[in-house]
Amino acid sequence: MTLGPEPPVPVAGNGLLDRRLFLSNALSFGAVASIASGSVTAAVPDEPWMREPGAAFTNYGVPSPHEKAVLRWISATAMAPTNGVSWSPLHELDGILTPSGLHFERHHNGVPQIDPALHRLVINGRVSRPLEFAIDALLRYPRVSRLCVLECGGNSNAGWQQKPIQTAAGYFHGLVSCSEWSGVPLRLLLDEAGLEADAAWIVAEGADAFGMTISLPLPKARHDTLLALFQNGERLRPEQGYPLRLLVPGWEGVVNVKWLRTLTVSDAPVMARNETARYTELQADGSARMFTFEMDVKSLLTRPSGGMQLDGPGFYELSGLAWSGRGRITRVDVSADGGASWAEAALNEPVLAQCFTRFRVPWQWNGKPCVLQSRATDDTGAVQPTRAALLAARGRHGYFHYHAIVSWQVDADGALSHTYVDADATPAATAVDPFDADW
Ligand SMILES: Nc1nc2c(c(=O)[nH]1)N[C@H]1C(S)=C(S)[C@@H](COP(=O)(O)O)O[C@H]1N2
Ligand SMILES: [Mo]
Protein backbone atom coordinates (compact mmCIF):
# COMPACT_ATOMS: atom_id res chain seq x y z
CA MET A 1 0.00 0.00 0.00
CA THR A 2 1.27 3.48 -0.83
CA LEU A 3 1.70 6.02 1.97
CA GLY A 4 1.26 9.78 1.90
CA PRO A 5 -0.60 11.78 -0.74
CA GLU A 6 0.00 9.25 -3.52
CA PRO A 7 -3.16 7.39 -4.56
CA PRO A 8 -3.16 3.77 -3.33
CA VAL A 9 -2.03 1.08 -5.75
CA PRO A 10 -4.86 -1.21 -6.95
CA VAL A 11 -4.71 -4.83 -5.74
CA ALA A 12 -6.70 -6.22 -8.67
CA GLY A 13 -7.72 -5.20 -12.20
CA ASN A 14 -9.76 -2.08 -13.04
CA GLY A 15 -9.04 -0.16 -9.84
CA LEU A 16 -9.93 -2.48 -6.92
CA LEU A 17 -8.14 -1.17 -3.82
CA ASP A 18 -6.85 -2.83 -0.67
CA ARG A 19 -9.65 -3.64 1.78
CA ARG A 20 -7.44 -2.32 4.63
CA LEU A 21 -7.48 1.16 3.10
CA PHE A 22 -9.74 2.60 5.78
CA LEU A 23 -8.04 0.75 8.62
CA SER A 24 -4.60 2.20 7.93
CA ASN A 25 -3.68 5.30 9.93
CA ALA A 26 -1.14 6.23 7.27
CA LEU A 27 -3.80 6.76 4.64
CA SER A 28 -6.53 9.36 4.60
CA PHE A 29 -9.64 9.20 2.52
CA GLY A 30 -8.52 12.44 0.80
CA ALA A 31 -5.66 10.48 -0.77
CA VAL A 32 -8.27 8.54 -2.72
CA ALA A 33 -10.85 11.14 -3.65
CA SER A 34 -13.09 13.83 -2.31
CA ILE A 35 -16.82 13.25 -2.66
CA ALA A 36 -17.90 16.29 -0.61
CA SER A 37 -20.54 18.51 -2.28
CA GLY A 38 -18.35 21.63 -2.07
CA SER A 39 -16.12 23.66 0.23
CA VAL A 40 -17.67 25.99 2.81
CA THR A 41 -16.92 29.74 2.72
CA ALA A 42 -19.82 31.45 4.58
CA ALA A 43 -21.65 30.81 7.88
CA VAL A 44 -23.95 27.77 7.82
CA PRO A 45 -27.57 29.06 7.51
CA ASP A 46 -30.40 27.80 9.76
CA GLU A 47 -32.91 25.42 8.22
CA PRO A 48 -36.72 25.95 8.43
CA TRP A 49 -37.13 22.88 10.69
CA MET A 50 -34.82 24.50 13.25
CA ARG A 51 -37.30 27.33 13.91
CA GLU A 52 -40.30 25.37 15.26
CA PRO A 53 -40.81 22.33 17.50
CA GLY A 54 -40.64 18.97 15.82
CA ALA A 55 -43.37 16.32 15.58
CA ALA A 56 -44.79 14.69 18.71
CA PHE A 57 -43.87 11.27 20.11
CA THR A 58 -45.28 8.19 18.40
CA ASN A 59 -46.25 4.84 19.90
CA TYR A 60 -44.83 2.90 17.00
CA GLY A 61 -42.27 4.48 14.68
CA VAL A 62 -42.31 4.35 10.88
CA PRO A 63 -39.57 5.23 8.36
CA SER A 64 -39.04 8.79 7.09
CA PRO A 65 -41.56 9.82 4.41
CA HIS A 66 -38.54 10.51 2.21
CA GLU A 67 -37.80 6.77 2.21
CA LYS A 68 -41.23 5.72 0.97
CA ALA A 69 -39.80 4.24 -2.23
CA VAL A 70 -37.96 1.55 -0.21
CA LEU A 71 -40.51 -1.20 -0.62
CA ARG A 72 -41.02 -4.90 -1.11
CA TRP A 73 -41.92 -5.69 -4.71
CA ILE A 74 -44.96 -7.94 -4.97
CA SER A 75 -45.29 -10.61 -7.66
CA ALA A 76 -48.64 -12.36 -7.63
CA THR A 77 -51.15 -12.75 -10.43
CA ALA A 78 -54.55 -11.09 -10.58
CA MET A 79 -56.06 -14.56 -10.86
CA ALA A 80 -54.48 -15.76 -7.61
CA PRO A 81 -53.54 -12.62 -5.64
CA THR A 82 -52.90 -14.54 -2.39
CA ASN A 83 -50.38 -16.93 -3.98
CA GLY A 84 -47.05 -15.32 -4.75
CA VAL A 85 -44.06 -13.56 -3.26
CA SER A 86 -42.82 -10.15 -2.28
CA TRP A 87 -39.11 -9.40 -2.65
CA SER A 88 -36.87 -7.64 -0.10
CA PRO A 89 -35.25 -4.48 -1.55
CA LEU A 90 -31.71 -5.71 -0.75
CA HIS A 91 -30.26 -3.00 -3.01
CA GLU A 92 -31.67 -0.26 -0.73
CA LEU A 93 -30.46 -1.73 2.57
CA ASP A 94 -27.16 -1.83 4.44
CA GLY A 95 -25.81 -3.89 7.31
CA ILE A 96 -27.06 -7.46 7.78
CA LEU A 97 -30.50 -7.14 9.37
CA THR A 98 -33.65 -6.96 7.27
CA PRO A 99 -36.23 -4.62 8.81
CA SER A 100 -39.27 -6.75 9.70
CA GLY A 101 -41.55 -4.73 7.41
CA LEU A 102 -39.23 -5.48 4.47
CA HIS A 103 -38.72 -9.21 5.12
CA PHE A 104 -39.56 -11.13 1.94
CA GLU A 105 -42.87 -12.99 1.89
CA ARG A 106 -43.95 -16.26 0.35
CA HIS A 107 -47.56 -17.16 0.92
CA HIS A 108 -49.34 -19.96 -0.91
CA ASN A 109 -52.74 -18.65 0.11
CA GLY A 110 -52.50 -15.34 1.93
CA VAL A 111 -51.78 -14.31 5.52
CA PRO A 112 -54.21 -15.81 8.06
CA GLN A 113 -55.37 -13.44 10.80
CA ILE A 114 -54.83 -15.70 13.81
CA ASP A 115 -56.10 -14.95 17.31
CA PRO A 116 -53.19 -16.10 19.51
CA ALA A 117 -55.59 -16.91 22.35
CA LEU A 118 -57.24 -19.55 20.14
CA HIS A 119 -54.13 -20.92 18.44
CA ARG A 120 -52.73 -24.30 19.53
CA LEU A 121 -49.63 -26.30 18.71
CA VAL A 122 -50.09 -30.07 18.78
CA ILE A 123 -47.24 -32.60 18.83
CA ASN A 124 -48.46 -36.10 18.01
CA GLY A 125 -47.59 -39.21 15.99
CA ARG A 126 -44.77 -41.46 17.19
CA VAL A 127 -44.47 -39.94 20.63
CA SER A 128 -45.26 -41.49 24.01
CA ARG A 129 -47.34 -38.46 25.14
CA PRO A 130 -49.13 -36.38 22.46
CA LEU A 131 -49.13 -32.78 23.72
CA GLU A 132 -51.03 -29.59 23.07
CA PHE A 133 -49.60 -26.12 23.80
CA ALA A 134 -51.34 -22.77 24.00
CA ILE A 135 -49.19 -19.81 22.93
CA ASP A 136 -49.16 -18.55 26.53
CA ALA A 137 -47.71 -21.90 27.61
CA LEU A 138 -45.02 -21.74 24.91
CA LEU A 139 -44.10 -18.26 26.11
CA ARG A 140 -43.14 -19.79 29.49
CA TYR A 141 -40.48 -22.12 28.04
CA PRO A 142 -36.80 -21.13 27.96
CA ARG A 143 -35.83 -19.37 24.74
CA VAL A 144 -32.77 -18.83 22.61
CA SER A 145 -32.06 -16.05 20.11
CA ARG A 146 -30.09 -16.26 16.92
CA LEU A 147 -29.37 -14.18 13.86
CA CYS A 148 -29.90 -16.09 10.65
CA VAL A 149 -31.11 -15.92 7.09
CA LEU A 150 -34.29 -17.38 5.71
CA GLU A 151 -34.05 -18.05 1.98
CA CYS A 152 -36.63 -19.47 -0.40
CA GLY A 153 -35.30 -22.42 -2.41
CA GLY A 154 -36.55 -20.61 -5.52
CA ASN A 155 -34.61 -17.40 -4.79
CA SER A 156 -32.60 -16.04 -7.77
CA ASN A 157 -34.18 -18.59 -10.11
CA ALA A 158 -34.29 -16.05 -12.95
CA GLY A 159 -30.58 -16.90 -13.21
CA TRP A 160 -31.57 -20.13 -14.98
CA GLN A 161 -33.14 -18.08 -17.79
CA GLN A 162 -31.13 -17.67 -20.97
CA LYS A 163 -31.28 -13.88 -21.00
CA PRO A 164 -30.08 -11.94 -17.96
CA ILE A 165 -33.15 -10.52 -16.21
CA GLN A 166 -33.11 -6.73 -15.89
CA THR A 167 -34.48 -5.75 -12.50
CA ALA A 168 -33.12 -4.34 -9.24
CA ALA A 169 -30.86 -6.73 -7.29
CA GLY A 170 -33.44 -7.25 -4.54
CA TYR A 171 -36.21 -8.03 -7.00
CA PHE A 172 -34.02 -10.82 -8.44
CA HIS A 173 -32.25 -12.12 -5.28
CA GLY A 174 -34.44 -10.79 -2.47
CA LEU A 175 -36.30 -13.97 -1.53
CA VAL A 176 -33.81 -14.01 1.33
CA SER A 177 -33.85 -11.93 4.49
CA CYS A 178 -31.96 -11.93 7.77
CA SER A 179 -33.49 -11.45 11.21
CA GLU A 180 -32.84 -12.11 14.84
CA TRP A 181 -35.25 -14.90 15.76
CA SER A 182 -36.12 -15.84 19.35
CA GLY A 183 -38.05 -18.87 20.43
CA VAL A 184 -38.15 -22.25 22.10
CA PRO A 185 -35.70 -24.96 20.94
CA LEU A 186 -37.91 -27.61 19.33
CA ARG A 187 -35.80 -30.30 21.02
CA LEU A 188 -37.23 -29.34 24.43
CA LEU A 189 -40.81 -30.05 23.39
CA LEU A 190 -39.95 -33.21 21.43
CA ASP A 191 -38.16 -34.61 24.47
CA GLU A 192 -41.15 -33.71 26.65
CA ALA A 193 -43.47 -35.59 24.27
CA GLY A 194 -41.04 -38.56 24.25
CA LEU A 195 -39.90 -39.83 20.84
CA GLU A 196 -40.58 -43.45 19.94
CA ALA A 197 -37.76 -45.68 18.72
CA ASP A 198 -38.62 -45.47 15.01
CA ALA A 199 -39.14 -41.69 14.99
CA ALA A 200 -37.16 -40.28 12.04
CA TRP A 201 -39.11 -37.40 10.49
CA ILE A 202 -41.44 -34.64 11.59
CA VAL A 203 -44.35 -33.57 9.40
CA ALA A 204 -45.24 -29.93 10.05
CA GLU A 205 -48.54 -28.28 9.13
CA GLY A 206 -49.47 -24.60 9.03
CA ALA A 207 -52.84 -23.07 9.96
CA ASP A 208 -53.25 -21.07 6.72
CA ALA A 209 -55.78 -21.87 4.01
CA PHE A 210 -53.13 -23.68 1.96
CA GLY A 211 -53.10 -26.90 3.97
CA MET A 212 -49.34 -26.95 3.76
CA THR A 213 -47.45 -29.95 5.11
CA ILE A 214 -43.73 -30.55 4.83
CA SER A 215 -41.32 -33.14 6.23
CA LEU A 216 -38.26 -32.34 8.29
CA PRO A 217 -35.62 -34.94 9.29
CA LEU A 218 -35.53 -35.45 13.04
CA PRO A 219 -31.77 -34.81 13.54
CA LYS A 220 -32.14 -31.24 12.22
CA ALA A 221 -35.35 -30.74 14.23
CA ARG A 222 -33.46 -31.69 17.39
CA HIS A 223 -30.24 -29.90 16.47
CA ASP A 224 -31.03 -26.19 16.05
CA THR A 225 -34.65 -25.82 14.91
CA LEU A 226 -36.59 -23.16 16.79
CA LEU A 227 -40.25 -22.57 17.45
CA ALA A 228 -39.88 -18.87 16.71
CA LEU A 229 -42.14 -16.44 18.56
CA PHE A 230 -40.11 -13.22 18.17
CA GLN A 231 -38.47 -11.53 15.16
CA ASN A 232 -36.06 -8.62 15.57
CA GLY A 233 -37.08 -8.19 19.19
CA GLU A 234 -40.86 -8.05 18.75
CA ARG A 235 -43.45 -10.77 18.22
CA LEU A 236 -43.50 -12.24 14.71
CA ARG A 237 -45.18 -10.20 12.01
CA PRO A 238 -48.38 -11.84 10.67
CA GLU A 239 -46.60 -12.26 7.29
CA GLN A 240 -43.80 -14.19 8.98
CA GLY A 241 -46.09 -16.66 10.74
CA TYR A 242 -47.63 -14.99 13.81
CA PRO A 243 -47.99 -16.30 16.41
CA LEU A 244 -45.59 -19.24 15.80
CA ARG A 245 -43.36 -20.57 13.03
CA LEU A 246 -40.66 -23.16 12.51
CA LEU A 247 -37.24 -21.64 12.02
CA VAL A 248 -34.82 -24.14 10.50
CA PRO A 249 -31.47 -22.32 10.23
CA GLY A 250 -29.81 -22.50 6.81
CA TRP A 251 -32.47 -24.75 5.27
CA GLU A 252 -34.68 -23.80 2.35
CA GLY A 253 -37.61 -21.54 3.15
CA VAL A 254 -40.36 -24.07 2.54
CA VAL A 255 -39.52 -26.15 5.64
CA ASN A 256 -39.84 -23.03 7.84
CA VAL A 257 -43.57 -23.59 8.29
CA LYS A 258 -45.49 -20.47 9.31
CA TRP A 259 -48.59 -20.28 11.51
CA LEU A 260 -47.42 -23.66 12.84
CA ARG A 261 -50.28 -25.90 14.02
CA THR A 262 -49.24 -29.54 14.16
CA LEU A 263 -45.99 -31.48 14.31
CA THR A 264 -46.55 -35.16 13.60
CA VAL A 265 -43.59 -37.38 14.39
CA SER A 266 -43.25 -40.14 11.81
CA ASP A 267 -40.91 -42.84 10.55
CA ALA A 268 -40.95 -41.53 6.95
CA PRO A 269 -41.47 -38.28 5.04
CA VAL A 270 -45.08 -37.53 4.08
CA MET A 271 -44.21 -36.95 0.38
CA ALA A 272 -46.43 -33.87 0.07
CA ARG A 273 -46.67 -31.63 -3.02
CA ASN A 274 -43.91 -29.32 -1.83
CA GLU A 275 -41.36 -32.11 -1.57
CA THR A 276 -42.31 -34.07 -4.70
CA ALA A 277 -43.94 -31.91 -7.40
CA ARG A 278 -41.97 -28.89 -6.15
CA TYR A 279 -38.46 -28.55 -4.69
CA THR A 280 -37.53 -31.68 -6.61
CA GLU A 281 -35.55 -31.37 -9.83
CA LEU A 282 -34.82 -33.68 -12.72
CA GLN A 283 -31.12 -33.98 -13.52
CA ALA A 284 -29.43 -34.57 -16.87
CA ASP A 285 -28.78 -38.24 -15.94
CA GLY A 286 -32.49 -38.85 -15.30
CA SER A 287 -32.20 -38.90 -11.50
CA ALA A 288 -34.02 -36.34 -9.37
CA ARG A 289 -32.62 -34.03 -6.72
CA MET A 290 -34.90 -34.24 -3.68
CA PHE A 291 -34.80 -33.01 -0.09
CA THR A 292 -32.09 -30.50 -1.02
CA PHE A 293 -32.54 -28.73 2.28
CA GLU A 294 -29.30 -26.82 2.77
CA MET A 295 -28.96 -23.48 1.02
CA ASP A 296 -25.66 -23.09 -0.84
CA VAL A 297 -22.88 -20.52 -0.43
CA LYS A 298 -23.86 -17.32 -2.22
CA SER A 299 -23.14 -13.60 -2.54
CA LEU A 300 -23.98 -10.55 -4.59
CA LEU A 301 -22.95 -6.93 -4.79
CA THR A 302 -25.91 -4.82 -3.69
CA ARG A 303 -24.28 -1.38 -4.12
CA PRO A 304 -23.78 -0.56 -6.82
CA SER A 305 -25.95 -3.12 -8.61
CA GLY A 306 -28.18 -3.52 -11.68
CA GLY A 307 -30.31 -0.49 -12.51
CA MET A 308 -28.08 1.92 -10.56
CA GLN A 309 -26.06 4.74 -12.06
CA LEU A 310 -22.46 5.72 -11.18
CA ASP A 311 -21.86 9.44 -10.96
CA GLY A 312 -18.71 9.60 -13.11
CA PRO A 313 -15.23 8.14 -12.63
CA GLY A 314 -13.68 8.20 -9.15
CA PHE A 315 -14.03 6.54 -5.78
CA TYR A 316 -16.82 4.09 -4.88
CA GLU A 317 -17.35 1.59 -2.10
CA LEU A 318 -18.47 -1.77 -3.48
CA SER A 319 -20.66 -3.50 -0.92
CA GLY A 320 -22.79 -6.60 -0.78
CA LEU A 321 -24.10 -9.62 1.11
CA ALA A 322 -22.73 -13.14 1.43
CA TRP A 323 -24.25 -16.11 3.24
CA SER A 324 -24.27 -19.90 3.34
CA GLY A 325 -26.83 -22.33 4.73
CA ARG A 326 -23.94 -24.68 5.48
CA GLY A 327 -21.91 -22.48 7.76
CA ARG A 328 -19.95 -19.26 8.19
CA ILE A 329 -18.56 -17.06 5.42
CA THR A 330 -14.76 -17.13 5.56
CA ARG A 331 -13.92 -14.98 2.56
CA VAL A 332 -15.45 -12.86 -0.17
CA ASP A 333 -13.50 -11.83 -3.27
CA VAL A 334 -14.55 -9.04 -5.60
CA SER A 335 -13.63 -8.63 -9.27
CA ALA A 336 -13.95 -5.55 -11.48
CA ASP A 337 -12.75 -7.31 -14.63
CA GLY A 338 -15.32 -10.07 -15.05
CA GLY A 339 -13.45 -12.61 -12.94
CA ALA A 340 -9.93 -12.20 -14.42
CA SER A 341 -8.51 -10.89 -11.13
CA TRP A 342 -9.88 -10.69 -7.58
CA ALA A 343 -9.43 -8.49 -4.49
CA GLU A 344 -10.32 -9.83 -1.04
CA ALA A 345 -13.17 -7.86 0.54
CA ALA A 346 -13.38 -6.67 4.16
CA LEU A 347 -16.00 -8.61 6.16
CA ASN A 348 -17.94 -6.52 8.67
CA GLU A 349 -18.45 -8.06 12.10
CA PRO A 350 -20.36 -10.01 13.17
CA VAL A 351 -19.62 -12.92 10.83
CA LEU A 352 -21.99 -15.69 11.93
CA ALA A 353 -22.98 -19.09 10.58
CA GLN A 354 -26.09 -19.13 8.34
CA CYS A 355 -26.32 -15.36 8.61
CA PHE A 356 -25.87 -12.47 6.20
CA THR A 357 -22.26 -11.22 6.15
CA ARG A 358 -21.75 -7.66 4.89
CA PHE A 359 -18.63 -7.19 2.76
CA ARG A 360 -17.02 -4.03 1.40
CA VAL A 361 -14.16 -3.15 -0.88
CA PRO A 362 -12.85 0.28 -1.99
CA TRP A 363 -12.80 0.92 -5.74
CA GLN A 364 -11.45 3.60 -8.01
CA TRP A 365 -13.49 3.55 -11.25
CA ASN A 366 -11.54 4.68 -14.31
CA GLY A 367 -14.69 5.46 -16.30
CA LYS A 368 -14.28 2.50 -18.67
CA PRO A 369 -16.82 -0.32 -19.15
CA CYS A 370 -16.21 -3.25 -16.80
CA VAL A 371 -17.95 -6.16 -15.07
CA LEU A 372 -18.32 -6.31 -11.26
CA GLN A 373 -18.65 -9.65 -9.45
CA SER A 374 -18.38 -11.15 -5.97
CA ARG A 375 -17.48 -14.72 -4.97
CA ALA A 376 -18.10 -16.14 -1.49
CA THR A 377 -16.38 -19.02 0.32
CA ASP A 378 -17.74 -20.71 3.47
CA ASP A 379 -16.10 -22.65 6.29
CA THR A 380 -16.91 -26.00 4.68
CA GLY A 381 -14.58 -24.88 1.86
CA ALA A 382 -17.48 -24.44 -0.59
CA VAL A 383 -16.87 -21.69 -3.15
CA GLN A 384 -19.64 -19.93 -5.04
CA PRO A 385 -19.55 -21.30 -8.62
CA THR A 386 -19.52 -19.41 -11.90
CA ARG A 387 -22.78 -19.58 -13.84
CA ALA A 388 -21.12 -21.82 -16.44
CA ALA A 389 -19.99 -24.25 -13.71
CA LEU A 390 -23.46 -24.32 -12.12
CA LEU A 391 -25.16 -24.98 -15.48
CA ALA A 392 -22.61 -27.71 -16.27
CA ALA A 393 -23.26 -29.38 -12.90
CA ARG A 394 -27.04 -29.03 -12.76
CA GLY A 395 -28.17 -28.95 -16.40
CA ARG A 396 -30.98 -26.84 -17.77
CA HIS A 397 -33.85 -28.27 -15.74
CA GLY A 398 -32.84 -26.10 -12.82
CA TYR A 399 -35.45 -24.09 -11.02
CA PHE A 400 -34.33 -24.06 -7.39
CA HIS A 401 -31.04 -23.39 -5.58
CA TYR A 402 -29.51 -21.00 -8.13
CA HIS A 403 -26.42 -19.56 -6.42
CA ALA A 404 -23.93 -18.68 -9.14
CA ILE A 405 -21.69 -15.60 -9.19
CA VAL A 406 -23.70 -12.50 -10.14
CA SER A 407 -22.26 -10.13 -12.80
CA TRP A 408 -23.08 -6.43 -13.09
CA GLN A 409 -22.04 -4.71 -16.32
CA VAL A 410 -20.86 -1.10 -15.88
CA ASP A 411 -21.17 0.96 -19.07
CA ALA A 412 -18.99 3.98 -19.92
CA ASP A 413 -21.89 6.28 -18.93
CA GLY A 414 -21.96 4.68 -15.46
CA ALA A 415 -25.19 2.69 -15.97
CA LEU A 416 -25.26 -0.78 -14.38
CA SER A 417 -27.12 -3.77 -15.80
CA HIS A 418 -27.26 -7.52 -15.18
CA THR A 419 -25.09 -9.59 -17.53
CA TYR A 420 -23.77 -13.12 -18.05
CA VAL A 421 -20.03 -13.29 -18.67
CA ASP A 422 -20.00 -16.88 -19.96
CA ALA A 423 -21.51 -17.64 -23.35
CA ASP A 424 -24.69 -19.64 -22.78
CA ALA A 425 -24.17 -22.54 -25.17
CA THR A 426 -26.72 -25.02 -23.80
CA PRO A 427 -30.27 -24.38 -24.97
CA ALA A 428 -32.89 -23.99 -22.25
CA ALA A 429 -34.71 -27.28 -21.60
CA THR A 430 -38.09 -25.64 -21.31
CA ALA A 431 -39.28 -22.11 -21.85
CA VAL A 432 -39.81 -20.43 -18.49
CA ASP A 433 -43.37 -19.24 -18.19
CA PRO A 434 -43.42 -16.35 -15.72
CA PHE A 435 -47.06 -17.08 -14.91
CA ASP A 436 -46.18 -20.60 -13.92
CA ALA A 437 -43.67 -19.32 -11.39
CA ASP A 438 -43.64 -21.17 -8.07
CA TRP A 439 -41.34 -20.68 -5.15
N1 LIG B 1 -47.98 -22.25 6.48
C1 LIG B 1 -47.13 -21.86 5.51
N2 LIG B 1 -45.80 -21.90 5.74
C2 LIG B 1 -44.93 -21.49 4.80
C3 LIG B 1 -45.40 -21.07 3.51
C4 LIG B 1 -46.80 -21.01 3.29
O1 LIG B 1 -47.30 -20.59 2.23
N3 LIG B 1 -47.65 -21.42 4.31
N4 LIG B 1 -44.47 -20.77 2.53
C5 LIG B 1 -43.14 -21.37 2.69
C6 LIG B 1 -42.12 -20.87 1.78
S1 LIG B 1 -42.08 -21.59 0.24
C7 LIG B 1 -41.16 -19.98 2.17
S2 LIG B 1 -39.93 -19.51 1.12
C8 LIG B 1 -41.17 -19.37 3.53
C9 LIG B 1 -41.25 -17.86 3.43
O2 LIG B 1 -41.22 -17.28 4.70
P1 LIG B 1 -41.56 -15.73 4.87
O3 LIG B 1 -42.84 -15.44 4.14
O4 LIG B 1 -41.60 -15.46 6.32
O5 LIG B 1 -40.42 -14.97 4.21
O6 LIG B 1 -42.28 -19.81 4.30
C10 LIG B 1 -42.61 -21.17 4.13
N5 LIG B 1 -43.61 -21.54 5.09
MO1 LIG C 1 -40.10 -20.97 -0.79
Side-chain angles (χ1 to χ4, degrees):
M1 218 190 289
T2 318
L3 304 183
E6 295 292 315
V9 178
V11 295
N14 282 343
L16 287 176
L17 305 179
D18 194 300
R19 68 188 192 284
R20 287 160 300 195
L21 180 67
F22 302 124
L23 302 180
S24 160
N25 289 331
L27 270 170
S28 69
F29 184 66
V32 183
S34 172
I35 312 176
S37 316
S39 41
V40 178
T41 48
V44 186
D46 281 358
E47 305 293 348
W49 42 81
M50 297 171 73
R51 295 192 203 106
E52 56 188 44
F57 299 91
T58 53
N59 291 111
Y60 201 107
V62 295
S64 161
H66 301 283
E67 299 299 319
K68 62 176 186 289
V70 181
L71 294 172
R72 294 192 281 227
W73 181 62
I74 301 168
S75 26
T77 61
M79 221 162 59
T82 56
N83 179 18
V85 294
S86 70
W87 305 76
S88 267
L90 302 179
H91 50 287
E92 303 270 21
L93 306 177
D94 206 333
I96 58 170
L97 281 178
T98 311
S100 299
L102 296 175
H103 193 286
F104 86 94
E105 301 165 275
R106 168 66 180 119
H107 318 309
H108 289 79
N109 198 7
V111 181
Q113 302 302 309
I114 295 178
D115 179 348
L118 302 179
H119 190 76
R120 294 283 182 275
L121 171 68
V122 166
I123 300 183
N124 58 17
R126 295 181 190 243
V127 292
S128 38
R129 281 181 311 280
L131 298 173
E132 182 187 273
F133 303 87
I135 294 297
D136 278 347
L138 288 176
L139 286 166
R140 289 186 51 191
Y141 278 81
R143 296 177 207 152
V144 295
S145 301
R146 67 166 299 173
L147 286 160
C148 70
V149 294
L150 178 62
E151 182 176 19
C152 176
N155 191 25
S156 314
N157 67 20
W160 297 110
Q161 295 176 18
Q162 249 177 336
K163 288 212 176 84
I165 190 173
Q166 296 305 338
T167 186
Y171 306 154
F172 171 15
H173 299 285
L175 295 185
V176 59
S177 296
C178 184
S179 301
E180 187 200 43
W181 303 95
S182 303
V184 182
L186 178 53
R187 179 177 39 82
L188 290 184
L189 304 188
L190 292 176
D191 290 352
E192 189 180 337
L195 296 168
E196 292 188 345
D198 60 354
W201 290 76
I202 292 185
V203 180
E205 185 197 16
D208 49 340
F210 175 54
M212 177 169 142
T213 48
I214 196 93
S215 314
L216 185 66
L218 197 55
K220 179 68 173 176
R222 294 192 79 256
H223 174 54
D224 60 356
T225 298
L226 284 188
L227 295 168
L229 293 151
F230 291 79
Q231 173 189 5
N232 296 331
E234 62 184 355
R235 295 290 292 278
L236 300 181
R237 293 288 170 97
E239 305 91 292
Q240 263 67 61
Y242 182 86
L244 180 68
R245 85 174 301 162
L246 274 186
L247 201 273
V248 191
W251 282 26
E252 60 186 2
V254 69
V255 294
N256 294 255
V257 175
K258 300 189 280 188
W259 314 296
L260 183 67
R261 200 175 94 92
T262 57
L263 290 170
T264 304
V265 179
S266 131
D267 61 343
V270 69
M271 304 307 268
R273 171 184 182 272
N274 267 341
E275 55 207 50
T276 52
R278 297 289 185 262
Y279 300 96
T280 285
E281 288 175 292
L282 190 61
Q283 298 299 286
D285 66 1
S287 68
R289 272 166 55 102
M290 276 186 99
F291 298 119
T292 46
F293 293 122
E294 278 181 319
M295 298 306 293
D296 295 302
V297 63
K298 190 161 171 180
S299 75
L300 75 149
L301 284 162
T302 53
R303 189 183 68 116
S305 57
M308 291 185 185
Q309 177 73 45
L310 300 182
D311 190 19
F315 176 83
Y316 292 88
E317 180 191 78
L318 302 177
S319 169
L321 293 167
W323 67 98
S324 168
R326 297 177 201 277
R328 198 170 51 83
I329 293 296
T330 50
R331 180 184 175 117
V332 178
D333 294 286
V334 171
S335 175
D337 53 14
S341 64
W342 298 88
E344 190 176 348
L347 306 184
N348 274 190
E349 295 292 341
V351 178
L352 302 170
Q354 291 132 353
C355 185
F356 272 167
T357 295
R358 172 65 59 177
F359 64 89
R360 305 178 192 277
V361 80
W363 181 47
Q364 189 78 29
W365 184 44
N366 60 13
K368 299 212 177 82
C370 62
V371 173
L372 302 175
Q373 299 180 322
S374 64
R375 181 182 66 193
T377 304
D378 72 18
D379 63 357
T380 70
V383 182
Q384 191 179 6
T386 62
R387 186 167 180 276
L390 186 69
L391 289 186
R394 302 267 305 278
R396 290 313 301 255
H397 292 274
Y399 190 80
F400 299 103
H401 293 272
Y402 185 90
H403 69 116
I405 288 172
V406 180
S407 304
W408 305 121
Q409 166 79 43
V410 182
D411 289 340
D413 66 358
L416 274 93
S417 58
H418 179 212
T419 188
Y420 294 150
V421 294
D422 319 293
D424 196 349
T426 38
T430 44
V432 180
D433 175 359
F435 296 106
D436 189 32
D438 197 342
W439 296 269

